[in-house]
Amino acid sequence: MKLYNTLTRQLEDITPLDGKTIRMYSCGPTIYDHSHIGNMSSFIFTDTLRRVLTASGSSVQHIMNFTDVDDKTIKRAAGNYDEMEPMAALAKLTEKYERIFLTDMKAVGNDMAVITFTKATEHIADMQKLVQQLHKDGFAYVADDGVYFSIEAYKKSGKRYGQLADVTTGSTSEARIQNDEYDKESVHDFALWKTQKDGEPAWDFELDGHDLKGRPGWHIECSAMSSRELGQPFDIHTGGVDLIFPHHENEIAQSTAGQNDPIYAKVFAHNEHLMVDGKKMSKSLGNFYTIHDIQEKGLDPLAFRVLVLQAHYRGPANFSWVNLEAAQNRLQDLRALAALRWQPRAVAHDSGTEALEDIPAELANILADDLNTPQAMAYLSRVAAQLLAVHIEKDMVDHFETMLRGIDDLLGLNLSAVQDITDEQKELIAQREQARAKKDWQSSDKLRDQLAAQDVGLQDHPHGVIWFPLR
RNA sequence: GGCACGGUGGCCGAGGAGUUAGGCAAGGGUCUGCAAAACCCUGUACGCCGGUGCAAAUCCGGUCCGUGCCUCCA
């Protein structure tokens, strides 16, 4: 497939560096609170990318990290569980939000089984090793409050800082420099390791005779975990656009300093932000939503997936409740399509229903072009309209099922999970048809309402009634 | 201020020099006891100003607006 690479600012063919497996690392959540829908849209992008890469014939090794130690987690843990030891409080907090995160991820259709999750706190030794190596090679220095990476030294070694975004050459605000409280040599230097402050969780660390008991910096976490799990260079690094600088830039610097190979990850793929009512989500604006909020309004988290897939990952998508309802309607239509699997009938043959199994292939083809999910959704809607108009025949059920699974493999909409209704419900539909035949409208309407209350919707087509799941 | 990404019909959104997606909502119609069903039809849109083309929403230049990043936010 072709994918846009932030490093080169162009579309590139993705083929495994090792010829077999695409190794992909995604910056995961900081588990100090509920993930918001913006985070989720980013992970829907990542999940869909993995699906399409897989469909294009590569095996994919997908790593996602949990940032379970950083300023935010530490602060929140101390606030929530002030009676506990810092380390225990941190674990308690992050375990809670990890669970919620995994639940939300499943709810929006992301395939959790194929992701290997790594935690920062389980890779402290790897991080320390990397810091030690950087120090030994002259790229890190010890300051009062921790260990810093020297961008100066990195540049002097012949490497380029600013491969993703050349921020340092811009006019950085002087105010920032003056307000800087850290004891670092240059404003742009960043912390590799932070020494312990009162009440903070900390790990023993000795470097060059200094006792640096403390915790890792944010950027080093991803460098250490990615190289531990995937080696270096690996194929694709994903994240939201906000991570381009400084996070990913710093990862590149840390991971390539002193290395012969200047490549950390071959391709960086970044998704644009999800906007809410045209604005960036923030707690102060009161437009900060979670998957839980969507569920509370009686809307389906998978409708949120549809909303995300309707937009291209490199453009900003706009979330609003009206738009989510529109997406929910669209999802319902796709589920009506899926429900045909349980209600085949003999109808006049129609050319549109023939090559059912080619449909996922066409979908994959569309998606292989820089993950063009909006085009894919448009195609799917056309297919759905066509098939709903003609139904499917009994001998097509197997092909139809294969088609649904193929669509799900690519888009994660769980269409093949649409189950048959019960015999009782089928009986109610039959009774309604009889009532209609007898023009007993009162009874037929009552039966329709009764079915709707059981989340079974009805479409009266010229060639007969079709039921579909309302949720 | 620097850098980046956008501005498409009521809304969401692709596309990307001539044939002009898709969805949601709306209006009209057919069918119907009804429509909350189905089907048909309708809407000619691409911020603004220039330029290059036979031809521009699509390329180029400028400009305005929005959004993001500029040290730990997906």
Side-chain angles (χ1 to χ4, degrees):
Chain A
M1 75 174 291
K2 284 190 195 304
L3 193 65
Y4 185 84
N5 184 358
T6 309
L7 280 170
T8 58
R9 307 227 169 256
Q10 58 189 15
L11 291 179
E12 289 181 15
D13 272 316
I14 305 298
T15 49
L17 284 167
D18 70 359
K20 300 182 301 231
T21 303
I22 291 180
R23 288 164 293 156
M24 179 156 94
Y25 184 87
S26 299
C27 283
T30 302
I31 36 181
Y32 75 112
D33 200 347
H34 287 89
S35 290
H36 54 67
I37 55 175
N39 295 89
M40 282 300 142
S41 80
S42 182
F43 300 130
I44 289 170
F45 154 63
T46 299
D47 176 76
T48 310
L49 174 59
R50 197 217 71 247
R51 289 169 185 275
V52 175
L53 287 168
T54 305
S56 67
S58 306
S59 66
V60 179
Q61 185 185 2
H62 189 190
I63 308 294
M64 185 179 286
N65 74 289
F66 284 123
T67 298
D68 60 348
V69 52
D70 78 325
D71 290 344
K72 295 193 299 275
T73 45
I74 289 170
K75 193 176 164 194
R76 186 65 66 91
N80 287 11
Y81 312 110
D82 57 354
E83 75 290 352
M84 296 175 75
E85 287 301 307
M87 199 68 98
L90 183 69
K92 183 160 181 173
L93 179 88
T94 57
E95 274 163 24
K96 174 182 171 185
Y97 288 110
E98 177 190 337
R99 267 199 312 278
I100 293 171
F101 173 77
L102 293 173
T103 306
D104 285 350
M105 286 284 275
K106 269 184 212 151
V108 298
N110 291 336
D111 190 347
M112 295 290 90
V114 296
I115 303 177
T116 303
F117 285 97
T118 63
K119 288 185 185 171
T121 53
E122 289 169 3
H123 288 75
I124 299 290
D126 289 325
M127 296 166 200
Q128 293 179 335
K129 219 172 121 190
L130 184 51
V131 174
Q132 273 161 345
Q133 187 63 45
L134 288 167
H135 185 262
K136 187 170 154 234
D137 293 342
F139 295 105
Y141 58 90
V142 178
D144 283 353
D145 57 354
V147 182
Y148 287 88
F149 184 88
S150 169
I151 289 170
E152 186 66 21
Y154 182 69
K155 284 177 169 168
K156 276 189 180 150
S157 75
K159 298 259 185 357
R160 182 169 158 234
Y161 185 77
Q163 294 181 38
L164 285 166
D166 205 349
V167 171
T168 55
T169 57
S171 65
T172 308
S173 163
E174 290 297 316
R176 282 179 189 282
I177 299 172
Q178 277 152 19
N179 288 343
D180 194 80
E181 342 174 313
Y182 300 111
D183 173 32
K184 47 186 175 180
E185 292 173 0
S186 160
V187 236
H188 299 300
D189 289 352
F190 53 90
L192 295 168
W193 186 265
K194 298 180 171 189
T195 49
Q196 183 181 26
K197 290 183 193 137
D198 278 350
E200 287 186 351
W203 287 262
D204 288 331
F205 185 41
E206 209 182 290
L207 179 68
D208 196 28
H210 300 89
D211 175 12
L212 297 173
K213 185 173 185 181
R215 61 189 169 87
W218 181 38
H219 314 301
I220 200 80
E221 295 186 359
C222 286
S223 278
M225 286 188 274
S226 65
S227 100
R228 157 67 71 181
E229 300 293 333
L230 297 174
Q232 196 176 311
F234 58 92
D235 294 271
I236 304 175
H237 197 312
T238 73
V241 286
D242 57 310
L243 296 183
I244 293 174
F245 190 90
H247 187 50
H248 288 170
E249 195 63 53
N250 290 349
E251 278 184 53
I252 293 172
Q254 292 164 341
S255 295
T256 59
Q259 305 284 321
N260 291 329
D261 192 339
I263 305 294
Y264 168 51
K266 184 168 175 261
V267 173
F268 274 82
H270 294 107
N271 62 282
E272 259 296 344
H273 280 174
L274 178 77
M275 315 293 285
V276 170
D277 297 323
K279 297 206 173 71
K280 186 188 178 178
M281 239 180 302
S282 72
K283 282 181 176 159
S284 57
L285 284 173
N287 61 357
F288 189 93
Y289 300 120
T290 64
I291 296 302
H292 181 71
D293 295 327
I294 287 173
Q295 289 166 321
E296 272 207 326
K297 290 215 177 200
L299 292 160
D300 195 317
L302 281 172
F304 176 69
R305 188 181 186 88
V306 170
L307 185 145
V308 171
L309 294 178
Q310 277 174 335
H312 189 88
Y313 76 93
R314 283 201 287 124
N318 195 22
F319 176 90
S320 69
W321 292 106
V322 172
N323 294 159
L324 186 60
E325 275 168 37
Q328 173 102 32
N329 287 342
R330 191 173 201 175
L331 176 64
Q332 214 163 71
D333 240 25
L334 294 174
R335 283 180 175 157
L337 169 72
L340 289 181
R341 183 250 172 276
W342 303 105
Q343 38 199 334
R345 64 189 67 214
V347 290
H349 215 83
D350 184 280
S351 58
T353 62
E354 288 190 5
L356 287 175
E357 291 177 11
D358 293 342
I359 288 168
E362 176 57 21
L363 210 50
N365 206 25
I366 294 167
L367 289 164
D369 179 19
D370 198 26
L371 212 64
N372 198 334
T373 54
Q375 289 281 30
M377 292 300 288
Y379 171 71
L380 199 54
S381 283
R382 261 181 266 129
V383 166
Q386 221 171 27
L387 289 171
L388 280 165
V390 297
H391 289 201
I392 63 166
E393 297 178 54
K394 284 194 171 63
D395 61 1
M396 293 167 76
V397 165
D398 287 347
H399 298 287
F400 191 78
E401 211 167 290
T402 304
M403 177 197 80
L404 288 179
R405 272 201 304 272
I407 294 170
D408 281 347
D409 285 348
L410 287 159
L411 296 174
L413 292 171
N414 279 340
L415 298 181
S416 49
V418 170
Q419 291 300 305
D420 199 2
I421 53 176
T422 64
D423 289 342
E424 289 75 24
Q425 288 167 330
K426 284 176 189 169
E427 179 54 30
L428 290 178
I429 292 174
Q431 284 173 18
R432 172 171 176 268
E433 289 306 284
Q434 285 168 19
R436 290 179 79 210
K438 282 186 273 182
K439 296 190 187 284
D440 177 3
W441 312 117
Q442 213 181 346
S443 302
S444 73
D445 286 357
K446 207 176 150 191
L447 286 160
R448 187 174 62 194
D449 294 344
Q450 200 178 334
L451 283 158
Q454 297 173 32
D455 293 326
V456 176
L458 299 175
Q459 292 182 351
D460 293 320
H461 288 259
H463 42 275
V465 64
I466 297 178
W467 61 261
F468 64 97
L470 284 170
R471 51 189 306 134

Coordinates of all heavy atoms in Angstrom, one line a residue, chain A residues 30 62 92 135 144 199 254 276 313 382 405:
Chain A
T30 N -1.5 7.9 27.7 CA -1.0 8.1 29.0 C -2.2 7.7 29.9 O -3.3 8.4 29.8 CB -0.6 9.5 29.2 OG1 0.5 9.8 28.3 CG2 0.0 9.7 30.6
H62 N 2.6 -5.4 15.7 CA 2.1 -4.0 16.1 C 2.3 -3.9 17.6 O 1.8 -4.6 18.4 CB 0.6 -3.9 15.8 CG 0.1 -2.5 16.0 ND1 -1.2 -2.2 16.0 CD2 0.8 -1.3 16.3 CE1 -1.3 -0.9 16.2 NE2 -0.2 -0.4 16.4
K92 N -1.9 1.7 41.0 CA -3.4 1.6 41.2 C -4.1 2.5 40.2 O -5.1 2.1 39.6 CB -3.8 2.0 42.6 CG -5.3 1.9 42.9 CD -5.6 1.9 44.3 CE -7.1 1.7 44.5 NZ -7.6 1.5 45.8
H135 N 25.1 8.6 27.4 CA 26.1 9.4 28.2 C 27.5 9.0 27.9 O 28.4 9.8 27.7 CB 25.8 9.1 29.7 CG 26.6 9.9 30.6 ND1 27.8 9.4 31.2 CD2 26.5 11.2 31.0 CE1 28.3 10.4 31.9 NE2 27.6 11.5 31.8
D144 N 21.5 19.1 37.6 CA 21.0 19.0 39.0 C 19.8 18.2 39.1 O 19.6 17.4 40.0 CB 20.7 20.4 39.5 CG 22.0 21.1 39.9 OD1 23.0 20.5 39.9 OD2 21.9 22.3 40.2
G199 N 7.9 12.6 47.4 CA 6.7 11.9 47.1 C 6.5 11.4 45.8 O 5.4 10.9 45.4
Q254 N 17.4 10.4 20.0 CA 17.9 9.4 21.0 C 18.3 8.1 20.4 O 19.3 7.5 20.8 CB 16.8 9.1 22.0 CG 16.4 10.3 22.9 CD 15.1 10.0 23.6 OE1 14.3 9.1 23.1 NE2 14.8 10.7 24.7
V276 N -13.9 19.2 17.7 CA -15.2 19.1 18.2 C -15.9 20.5 17.9 O -15.4 21.5 18.4 CB -15.3 18.8 19.7 CG1 -16.7 19.0 20.3 CG2 -14.8 17.4 19.9
Y313 N -7.6 10.4 7.4 CA -6.8 10.6 8.6 C -5.9 11.8 8.6 O -5.5 12.3 9.6 CB -6.0 9.3 8.9 CG -4.7 9.1 8.0 CD1 -3.5 9.6 8.4 CD2 -4.8 8.5 6.8 CE1 -2.4 9.4 7.6 CE2 -3.7 8.3 6.0 CZ -2.5 8.8 6.4 OH -1.3 8.7 5.6
R382 N -22.6 2.3 -1.5 CA -23.2 2.0 -2.9 C -23.5 0.5 -2.9 O -24.5 0.1 -3.4 CB -22.2 2.4 -4.0 CG -22.5 3.7 -4.6 CD -21.6 4.1 -5.7 NE -20.5 4.9 -5.2 CZ -19.2 4.7 -5.4 NH1 -18.8 3.6 -6.1 NH2 -18.3 5.5 -4.9
R405 N -17.1 -10.8 6.3 CA -15.8 -10.9 7.1 C -14.7 -10.1 6.4 O -13.9 -9.5 7.1 CB -15.5 -12.4 7.2 CG -16.1 -13.1 8.4 CD -15.4 -14.4 8.7 NE -15.3 -15.3 7.6 CZ -16.2 -16.2 7.3 NH1 -17.3 -16.3 8.0 NH2 -16.0 -17.0 6.2

